[in-house]
Amino acid sequence: DAMVIQNPRYQVTQFGKPVTLSCSQTLNHNVMYWYQQKSSQAPKLLFHYYDKDFNNEADTPDNFQSRRPNTSFCFLDIRSPGLGDAAMYLCATSREGHRQETQYFGPGTRLLVL
Amino acid sequence: DAKTTQPTSMDCAEGRAANLPCNHSTISGNEYVYWYRQIHSQGPQYIIHGLKNNETNEMASLIITEDRKSSTLILPHATLRDTAVYYCIVSLMYSGGGADGLTFGKGTHLIIQP
């Protein structure tokens, strides 16, 4: 029944070592989002894909990139993780991206940077 | 998007109704009120949304004041599993520019007491 799947739930990486987080969806939704949630803070949107069109938030660091090879999968790449990038990373989907639509979130991947 | 103000935390006894307030005094006519919640270590979950009229679904009721400057989320019979951070989000009905993510505020940490 899982609709938005994120693996792994916990990821440990080393300072400066590239890391990729994965998200897949079974909803066939057009839009996929990535949010970053630091400890005791609210989720913050990093970027989203509308189909194959990538949309970056203005304040998302260049260190963060994303790929969407097909409708079902979306990846978050952190090129050179710093200690400040330790956070929960949440993937979400919506059908067409209209704000009145529900967004469906995955369980998140908690990233630890050593 | 209009800014929202919520209490930082609230307690509620199990079995009682939990009433969570949200102020959105700068809301504009085409902005919806959304509620999401986030249980510890999980992704946010959609609860309900509305524009002007009160709304009810299987999870909760949403009461919006006539001037739309505030709203209340009501969980009619709170259980321990309702302990979570509840986010009130005000957002345009349709941005017109394609997909948009959610802008989360600090939310209310609701604690259901046994």
Side-chain angles (χ1 to χ4, degrees):
Chain A
D1 289 318
M3 296 184 290
V4 182
I5 303 153
Q6 291 187 249
N7 284 311
R9 294 294 309 275
Y10 299 89
Q11 176 76 54
V12 180
T13 191
Q14 292 178 332
F15 183 93
K17 184 175 181 182
V19 65
T20 295
L21 308 182
S22 302
C23 177
S24 63
Q25 53 132 340
T26 60
L27 297 162
N28 204 34
H29 281 174
N30 276 327
V31 191
M32 295 186 77
Y33 307 84
W34 280 103
Y35 291 82
Q36 179 193 60
Q37 186 175 25
K38 295 188 177 180
S39 181
S40 301
Q41 295 184 21
K44 181 178 182 297
L45 181 67
L46 292 173
F47 29 58
H48 73 268
Y49 270 96
Y50 182 90
D51 195 10
K52 296 178 183 178
D53 294 332
F54 177 70
N55 296 271
N56 202 24
E57 292 298 296
D59 55 356
T60 298
D62 292 340
N63 199 24
F64 291 86
Q65 304 286 324
S66 187
R67 295 171 284 132
R68 190 178 184 185
N70 54 52
T71 300
S72 301
F73 285 87
C74 195
F75 301 99
L76 169 62
D77 301 309
I78 308 176
R79 293 193 296 188
S80 181
L83 298 179
D85 297 327
M88 173 80 87
Y89 289 89
L90 296 160
C91 175
T93 73
S94 66
R95 191 165 55 86
E96 288 294 333
H98 300 169
R99 289 189 178 187
Q100 61 184 302
E101 292 178 346
T102 299
Q103 288 195 15
Y104 296 86
F105 284 81
T109 294
R110 187 169 295 280
L111 178 68
L112 180 63
V113 182
L114 300 179
Chain B
D1 293 348
K3 187 176 177 180
T4 62
T5 305
Q6 298 177 254
T8 303
S9 65
M10 293 181 63
D11 287 354
C12 178
E14 189 177 16
R16 305 297 294 267
N19 296 280
L20 292 93
C22 180
N23 286 324
H24 30 80
S25 58
T26 59
I27 193 170
S28 62
N30 58 353
E31 287 184 311
Y32 276 76
V33 180
Y34 295 81
W35 284 84
Y36 281 74
R37 74 179 182 184
Q38 188 173 22
I39 294 169
H40 182 62
S41 295
Q42 297 184 22
Q45 175 191 25
Y46 166 82
I47 301 173
I48 199 167
H49 75 282
L51 183 63
K52 297 181 193 178
N53 300 322
N54 299 337
E55 302 288 344
T56 295
N57 63 22
E58 65 279 2
M59 288 183 70
S61 295
L62 174 60
I63 309 298
I64 303 174
T65 58
E66 193 169 340
D67 64 7
R68 303 211 321 124
K69 293 185 185 300
S70 65
S71 60
T72 301
L73 178 75
I74 302 173
L75 308 178
H77 305 287
T79 71
L80 297 178
R81 287 177 295 180
D82 293 321
T83 293
V85 178
Y86 287 76
Y87 296 102
C88 171
I89 300 167
V90 174
S91 189
L92 287 169
M93 178 173 68
Y94 177 57
S95 69
D100 284 287
L102 297 169
T103 301
F104 289 84
K106 296 185 186 300
T108 296
H109 187 195
L110 175 67
I111 300 170
I112 306 301
Q113 304 281 2

